[in-house]
Amino acid sequence: MMMGEHFKCLSAIFPIIMRTKDEKKQVLLLRRENTGYMDGLWDFAGSGHVDENESAMQAVVRECREELGITVELKDIRFVHLSHRVGQNGARTYYDIYFLVERYTGEPYIAEPEKCSGLQWFAMDELPEDIIGIRKQAFLSYLKSEYYSEVINF
């Protein structure tokens, strides 16, 4: 880093897409594949990086359309958690921004099959064992109305 240059970090968005079925709240997860990050584990469906010149909420709209084929309106997105993931020993530093999405148009499907090997609704209290640990931690923080957390990556 050159003298006077500020540290830069990445931002990623994680829509927590929820529905109620048979009087049970469910969350939509996808199984990552061929991404180079946590492949084989469950993650929030529709998650991704915030692109240049794009707001975090605009990224939610774009990623949900690209990955799941659903339309999400900005007015239907609600911020619920921010996790500052501090990278060390070569790991990247991220601001992971979590949003609740309970209204959308369309039926979610795997729109990027090269990056996803499964898409499934899970009861909120029955998350799979093989979900990415920091995602589960953020989800539990959301459920407790904790809006901020920090994760140190070693």
Side-chain angles (χ1 to χ4, degrees), residues 74-116:
L74 289 174
K75 66 180 177 51
D76 295 324
I77 300 170
R78 184 168 63 95
F79 167 80
V80 293
H81 189 74
L82 174 70
S83 177
H84 187 187
R85 188 165 25 121
V86 181
Q88 297 187 346
N89 300 321
R92 295 178 178 176
T93 293
Y94 275 87
Y95 288 104
D96 292 337
I97 311 165
Y98 294 82
F99 294 96
L100 181 64
V101 174
E102 294 181 297
R103 294 184 57 191
Y104 54 86
T105 304
E107 191 61 36
Y109 67 94
I110 299 172
E112 295 179 330
E114 68 282 1
K115 295 181 181 179
C116 173

Side-chain angles (χ1 to χ4, degrees), residues 58-74:
Q58 288 170 332
V60 170
V61 170
R62 177 182 51 77
E63 289 287 356
C64 285
R65 183 182 63 250
E66 290 175 0
E67 288 190 12
L68 304 170
I70 60 174
T71 301
V72 176
E73 302 290 334
L74 289 174

Side-chain angles (χ1 to χ4, degrees), residues 2-58:
M2 297 177 67
M3 191 71 144
E5 185 179 335
H6 291 282
F7 173 74
K8 294 175 179 63
C9 67
L10 300 168
S11 298
I13 53 89
F14 299 90
I16 300 173
I17 301 172
M18 303 284 292
R19 74 174 184 186
T20 302
K21 186 171 183 180
D22 301 326
E23 299 183 23
K24 284 191 105 171
K25 282 267 205 188
Q26 297 178 327
V27 61
L28 186 62
L29 301 179
L30 64 74
R31 189 179 293 277
R32 300 178 66 88
E33 182 174 90
N34 300 318
T35 67
Y37 178 76
M38 301 285 182
D39 289 331
L41 299 180
W42 290 99
D43 198 354
F44 289 111
S47 58
H49 289 95
V50 177
D51 288 344
E52 187 173 358
N53 300 315
E54 178 180 61
S55 75
M57 290 174 62
Q58 288 170 332

